[in-house]
Amino acid sequence: MPIPPRRMPSTLMPNDRRGVLALIGGAAAFSLAPIRGWSLDANQARALIDTALGEVYRVINSGQQPAQMYRDFEAIFARYADVDVIARSALGPAARQADPRALAAYTQAFQGYIGRKYGKRFREFVGSKIEVTGARPLKSFYAVTSVAYLNGRAPMEVEWHVSNKSGRDKFFNIIIEGVNMLASERAEIAAMLTARRGDLAALTADLQASG
Amino acid sequence: MPRLSLFASLALGLILAGCASEPVMQDGIRVNDPYEAQNRRVHAFNKGLDRTVIAPVSNLVSSGEKAPGQTGAMDLVINAGSNLSLPGKVVNSVLQGRPEPAIKNFFRFAVNTTLGMGGLLDPAGKDFGLPEQDTDFGETLAVWGVPEGAYLELPVLGPSTQRDAVGKVVDLAIDPLYHLLHRDGAWAAFGLRVASKAGERARFGDTVDSVLQGSADSYAQVRLIYLMHRRHELNQGGAEIDPYADTAAQDAIDPYAE
């Protein structure tokens, strides 16, 4: 009796696709396994942003006084963002020469400034929603994508960059329709520092009064 | 508008005349701004205009505004003006070889002009899932491979680049609406589009104010925001900033380099 020709295992016919996917999946899982212990994964990055957004919306919809809201936003920023690295990056090369105590004071003032500045913008988000749509590895960190649906506006793409290099999962940048928070704060802090002729203590005092 | 073509070629020549400078990396993005001194003068003018004329007028208009979710007079003007921009966007999508946005905007225009009472309402976006597909001749030039050119701040119109400034002029010249309408109709349509832009300015007033009047260097902020947003729109976005890698590089001291 003639034996029906068997497909060569090396030819990838559609029926084999599932097997190949399982193989690739297995290989990926295997190669990632040793990293698992200390590396952040897409789900964790996504969960971080989901949780942070949940807290932001609780404040937005709380109907509190603006000053209280800004304090709450600042607390959320401190909890979920890597404030040290954002503040340092915004300060640029001047951060290298700064005395640690002055840098700490600047970082504290920067945190309050961000809470007020972005808090004012968040107030426009009443009645809106942001949906987290995905997460992907990017360079040495993760990019979490989301879409903001605001009243009367076309949906906006908002991307969050998340890293665990600080020792904990934190986000360090927000990109709204291509507009990058770190880049924009670098320009702003550089301009404020120039206005004070490079005096970090004066910049810190200015930050406490602005935003 | 036959004069437009003359104006267009003049403006094109002026804008493209002489500009070869090295772009620099600034705050993590590429900036090519050889006309900074001139641009800053225009920026000071625009900022003054915004503070003394545009912001008070738009506050006045939006102070008579309604509860959120309700359609106010300003929404009608914004809708009608942006509806009139659709034929030009269809032309640009065709020139870019992108049939899908061209077809979507064509049907959006058809639905809103008829069911939406001449574009005052937006049933295409609300009920038919046809939001506006934004484009312009600046994007068409980008698709054709024309480089961005130098950064420009235009009087009244605000931030732009050489490529986008040329795009704005060409958009006026190729808009089918202005060719189909009689002179008075064309001016009326143009007026409505300007009013619509002013309405959008009023709607996003707080954000604009915070950048223009609240920044230590509003010129640099506007330039940065415009370039980042525009490159994102044209899928020519810049590189991501990795502050952890930056810090490492900054902290590494190379005694031989000193």
Side-chain angles (χ1 to χ4, degrees):
Chain A
M1 198 177 160
I3 302 162
R6 288 187 58 179
R7 205 186 294 134
M8 291 295 291
S10 63
T11 50
L12 303 179
M13 299 302 284
N15 291 2
D16 291 325
R17 210 188 294 150
R18 201 173 299 156
V20 170
L21 280 179
L23 196 70
I24 293 171
F30 180 73
S31 64
L32 282 177
I35 309 170
R36 270 284 156 71
W38 51 276
S39 178
L40 168 75
D41 71 17
N43 289 332
Q44 285 170 288
R46 195 182 165 140
L48 176 85
I49 300 307
D50 260 329
T51 315
L53 279 173
E55 292 200 17
V56 166
Y57 272 96
R58 242 196 320 279
V59 176
I60 290 173
N61 296 322
S62 66
Q64 299 174 92
Q65 291 301 308
Q68 181 58 44
M69 277 198 192
Y70 301 155
R71 276 194 293 278
D72 289 353
F73 287 133
E74 181 187 337
I76 295 171
F77 180 64
R79 194 152 50 236
Y80 295 100
D82 190 348
V83 179
D84 284 340
V85 90
I86 295 171
R88 183 175 251 275
S89 171
L91 188 55
R96 256 178 303 169
Q97 293 107 25
D99 145 75
R101 194 178 288 174
L103 191 65
Y106 152 79
T107 303
Q108 191 64 39
F110 180 83
Q111 178 180 309
Y113 153 82
I114 293 289
R116 290 186 296 276
K117 181 173 176 179
Y118 289 82
K120 280 176 193 161
R121 298 277 74 82
F122 282 152
R123 289 173 60 206
E124 295 167 15
F125 282 47
V126 175
S128 71
K129 64 175 173 144
I130 301 184
E131 271 173 15
V132 175
T133 52
R136 63 176 199 283
L138 182 67
K139 289 185 175 177
S140 64
F141 47 87
Y142 274 88
V144 177
T145 48
S146 62
V147 181
Y149 298 91
L150 273 75
N151 291 326
R153 286 197 216 187
M156 293 195 298
E157 278 173 50
V158 183
E159 192 171 292
W160 310 72
H161 289 174
V162 178
S163 171
N164 66 349
K165 289 233 175 91
S166 65
R168 292 180 55 198
D169 301 349
K170 301 251 183 175
F171 76 84
F172 63 88
N173 205 353
I174 309 174
I175 296 117
I176 303 169
E177 287 286 326
V179 179
N180 185 313
M181 178 188 88
L182 263 186
S184 151
E185 290 310 326
R186 276 183 187 180
E188 182 65 10
I189 299 299
M192 291 176 83
L193 191 62
T194 306
R196 288 298 192 173
R197 298 168 200 274
D199 182 348
L200 184 58
L203 166 72
T204 301
D206 286 346
L207 279 176
Q208 282 161 350
S210 57
Chain B
M1 294 186 161
R3 277 211 197 120
L4 265 181
S5 51
L6 175 68
F7 176 61
S9 50
L10 264 176
L12 246 159
L14 267 179
I15 286 166
L16 292 179
C19 63
S21 74
E22 285 296 300
V24 293
M25 287 305 288
Q26 207 170 321
D27 308 312
I29 76 151
R30 183 171 39 79
V31 174
N32 177 14
D33 192 2
Y35 308 120
E36 181 164 349
Q38 168 63 19
N39 281 341
R40 279 189 182 271
R41 278 195 289 277
V42 176
H43 181 77
F45 168 78
N46 284 348
K47 194 172 162 178
L49 187 75
D50 199 84
R51 190 177 49 241
T52 53
V53 182
I54 300 173
V57 170
S58 61
N59 284 341
L60 201 71
V61 175
S62 59
S63 64
E65 274 300 286
K66 25 80 222 201
Q70 206 182 326
T71 308
M74 198 166 69
D75 296 306
L76 300 181
V77 174
I78 293 174
N79 285 345
S82 60
N83 189 51
L84 294 178
S85 74
L86 292 170
K89 293 186 201 293
V90 172
V91 171
N92 276 307
S93 292
V94 170
L95 290 174
Q96 292 156 18
R98 290 171 174 166
E100 198 192 313
I103 292 165
K104 282 183 174 164
N105 273 342
F106 176 80
F107 281 108
R108 179 178 166 80
F109 183 69
V111 168
N112 280 353
T113 306
T114 53
L115 299 177
M117 298 191 293
L120 289 173
L121 303 175
D122 180 19
K126 287 203 169 86
D127 307 322
F128 291 76
L130 283 172
E132 183 179 285
Q133 311 286 311
D134 195 23
T135 188
D136 50 49
F137 197 75
E139 180 164 14
T140 302
L141 289 173
V143 170
W144 290 352
V146 176
E148 181 179 81
Y151 177 76
L152 294 177
E153 182 149 343
L154 305 174
V156 186
L157 298 174
S160 193
T161 59
Q162 287 178 317
R163 185 176 63 197
D164 288 334
V166 170
K168 273 187 198 299
V169 176
V170 176
D171 269 326
L172 280 178
I174 64 172
D175 195 323
L177 201 69
Y178 299 132
H179 292 281
L180 291 174
L181 293 173
H182 292 297
R183 207 179 58 176
D184 290 349
W187 278 113
F190 183 71
L192 200 53
R193 296 224 1 225
V194 172
S196 163
K197 290 276 178 207
E200 283 180 355
R201 163 66 181 81
R203 183 181 279 171
F204 305 136
D206 284 357
T207 312
V208 178
D209 284 344
S210 76
V211 173
L212 266 189
Q213 317 295 348
S215 301
D217 181 355
S218 61
Y219 173 76
Q221 277 296 314
V222 169
R223 178 177 65 189
L224 191 69
I225 290 171
Y226 179 80
L227 290 175
M228 289 192 291
H229 179 62
R230 187 62 176 159
R231 287 172 190 166
H232 173 79
E233 264 186 342
L234 304 183
N235 290 317
Q236 299 179 330
E240 293 78 18
I241 299 177
D242 185 347
Y244 302 97
D246 292 354
T247 338
Q250 280 169 15
D251 288 346
I253 299 167
D254 181 358
Y256 302 100
E258 284 175 323

